[in-house]
Structure formats: structure tokens, C-alpha cells
Amino acid sequence: DTTQQQQQQQPELWPVGNTYTNQWASSTHMVGNIHQHDRGNLATEVVTTTQDILEAWIGGQPLVPTSLYGIRKYTTKSVLAPHVD
């Protein structure tokens, strides 16, 4: 349901000077409630749904889930700069 998804979006707060996104021009939002160590939640569903796809994408190498930051929604004209976490 679109209304429910919109209610689950939280504006993402970035520290002053952060240039990973252009949040000063276009906001980003985190969608859903993802906590990587909780079981039976959206994080588990994301890993379960994407693991086979991602393993196939990298040539069949098995992946071990270690971290899931979340699902970020970009709005019109949002930019994510190349960076290493």
C-alpha cells in the first residue's frame, strides 16, 4: 500500500559537510524499519529476496550477509557520490 510505504519513510539526516549525497538540494529518505540483527523483519526479507540474485550477478560466489544499512529513497535530482563505506 502506497500510503503505508509513505508513512514508513523517514527523512535521512546528514551531518554538516557531508557530500555523499546532495541533501542540501534534494532530500533522501530511509524506507521501512530495518535493523540488521532483528529476525523476521524487513532486513531479513531483503537479504532473503536478493541473495541469490546478487550471487548470480558476481558469478556464483557465495555471499555471507554481514551488514544492511537500509533502503534509501532518492527524490528527484538526488545524487549519491562515489565513495567507500
Side-chain angles (χ1 to χ4, degrees):
D1 177 67
T2 303
T3 304
Q4 184 180 9
Q5 291 172 355
Q6 289 174 342
Q7 291 173 347
Q8 293 178 349
Q9 296 177 28
Q10 298 296 320
E12 192 171 23
L13 305 176
W14 293 92
V16 173
N18 187 304
T19 58
Y20 289 159
T21 68
N22 62 332
Q23 76 282 354
W24 57 88
S26 186
S27 62
T28 58
H29 294 78
M30 295 306 291
V31 178
N33 183 17
I34 291 184
H35 298 287
Q36 70 186 57
H37 300 294
D38 292 347
R39 298 291 175 231
N41 68 5
L42 184 56
T44 302
E45 185 176 341
V46 168
V47 170
T48 302
T49 302
T50 61
Q51 187 160 359
D52 289 343
I53 296 165
L54 295 173
E55 288 175 352
W57 182 46
I58 62 168
Q61 179 71 32
L63 296 173
V64 177
T66 58
S67 178
L68 179 59
Y69 177 75
I71 300 171
R72 180 180 290 136
K73 177 184 176 188
Y74 293 90
T75 56
T76 303
K77 298 187 181 181
S78 292
V79 173
L80 176 63
H83 67 283
V84 176
D85 287 333

